Amino acid sequence: MKKVNIKGKAANVYVYSDHNELYRAAADQVISRLVAKPDLLLGLATGSTPVPLYDILVEKNKEGIIDFANVNTYNLDEYYPIARKDPNSFVQFMHDNLFDKINLPAENIHIPNAEAPDADAEAIRYERELEKTGGVDIQVLGIGSDGHIGFNEPCDSYIYPTHQVTLTKETISDNSRFFDSEDEVPKHAITMGMGAIMRAKKCILIATGKNKAQAVKNALVDDASPNCPASILQFHRDVDFYLDEDAASLIF
Ligand code: GLP
């Protein structure tokens, strides 16, 4: 592992040649907090990147090292509209990859309602739920190839409240690998805004692969801009980046 200091930036940046080591280090950030605080408020992400981390949490839960009985989880986002039982809904993704494999009570799962009758009302409901937490204890993040976090897409300003978003062509194309065709990818979503992400006491962002290298450079090295939403993390009080060498290839 190599710790990289980005001049003038606060983030802790760890670069790994070995993915197992990368995910064990990222998972330890969650595990250590969960052991210390059984009623942890845990922010979660979807996509392929966090799955190996979730596999480690499942393993440690089965070994009795961590217990989710008193944990509350808050997901970053959800397509909208989409049937909750749709194999590609984020709530189904989370059940398939984590929730159905750990002892997390169903009532402790918090995610925007993919079937809500009114997206804006649901965004307001979810924002209020997030505000009540005062900020999650740790937020797991991935990053889109266009620099999005959650579904906060490149924009001319950082958007703070939970909101409905129109997905960019790049995001739809990136996410179409989970669908039979690009036409089937929902065009909208409901996403945590920057307010909830910045209120998190700790953020851990994981990025792997060459296709994330430009987004990582824009997020970490270049001047912060809402054109790369992840760049707001340059102002976060406590954020770690866990990168493989491909994703870090443009920051040296
Ligand atoms: C989706 C999610 C993001 C995720 C991104 C990257 O758009 N809304 O939370 O970080 O895709 O996904 P992946 O990890 O599969 O590259």
Side-chain angles (χ1 to χ4, degrees), residues 83-239:
R84 288 173 62 86
K85 285 290 181 199
D86 185 308
N88 285 307
S89 74
F90 282 1
V91 63
Q92 191 59 51
F93 174 94
M94 291 305 305
H95 277 279
D96 294 344
N97 288 283
L98 183 63
F99 296 157
D100 290 351
K101 302 176 179 177
I102 58 176
N103 69 320
L104 176 71
E107 62 272 20
N108 290 15
I109 295 169
H110 309 276
I111 186 167
N113 178 0
E115 296 177 348
D118 179 311
D120 292 333
E122 175 59 13
I124 291 167
R125 182 200 67 79
Y126 197 55
E127 179 67 15
R128 288 202 182 114
E129 197 165 35
L130 291 164
E131 282 170 350
K132 273 192 295 191
T133 68
V136 296
D137 295 300
I138 183 166
Q139 175 68 56
V140 175
L141 293 168
I143 186 169
S145 58
D146 62 359
H148 73 243
I149 42 178
F151 271 133
N152 289 280
E153 295 282 33
C155 194
D156 51 13
S157 67
Y158 296 112
I159 302 175
Y160 276 77
T162 301
H163 59 281
Q164 182 179 197
V165 61
T166 300
L167 302 181
T168 64
K169 285 190 173 32
E170 187 171 358
T171 295
I172 289 169
S173 169
D174 286 349
N175 290 9
S176 62
R177 69 188 190 275
F178 299 112
F179 294 78
D180 293 337
S181 77
E182 201 163 292
D183 292 345
E184 287 184 24
V185 182
K187 306 297 177 275
H188 300 92
I190 296 173
T191 184
M192 246 190 228
M194 297 307 190
I197 293 169
M198 294 302 280
R199 284 196 299 267
K201 295 173 182 59
K202 173 89 179 182
C203 285
I204 57 172
L205 187 146
I206 305 170
T208 60
K210 276 258 189 257
N211 67 320
K212 301 296 174 73
Q214 186 60 54
V216 166
K217 176 181 178 297
N218 295 149
L220 264 179
V221 176
D222 297 349
D223 291 344
S225 159
N227 287 321
C228 174
S231 63
I232 198 169
L233 295 172
Q234 292 183 27
F235 309 107
H236 194 281
R237 64 183 124 172
D238 187 1
V239 56

Side-chain angles (χ1 to χ4, degrees), residues 44-115:
L44 297 172
T46 55
S48 313
T49 304
V51 172
L53 186 154
Y54 296 158
D55 291 344
I56 295 170
L57 297 183
V58 169
E59 179 193 318
K60 297 301 177 193
N61 183 227
K62 283 189 170 45
E63 292 170 4
I65 292 167
I66 52 177
D67 179 357
F68 286 89
N70 297 303
V71 169
N72 276 269
T73 65
Y74 297 84
N75 263 84
L76 280 165
D77 49 13
E78 174 62 276
Y79 285 121
Y80 181 86
I82 191 168
R84 288 173 62 86
K85 285 290 181 199
D86 185 308
N88 285 307
S89 74
F90 282 1
V91 63
Q92 191 59 51
F93 174 94
M94 291 305 305
H95 277 279
D96 294 344
N97 288 283
L98 183 63
F99 296 157
D100 290 351
K101 302 176 179 177
I102 58 176
N103 69 320
L104 176 71
E107 62 272 20
N108 290 15
I109 295 169
H110 309 276
I111 186 167
N113 178 0
E115 296 177 348

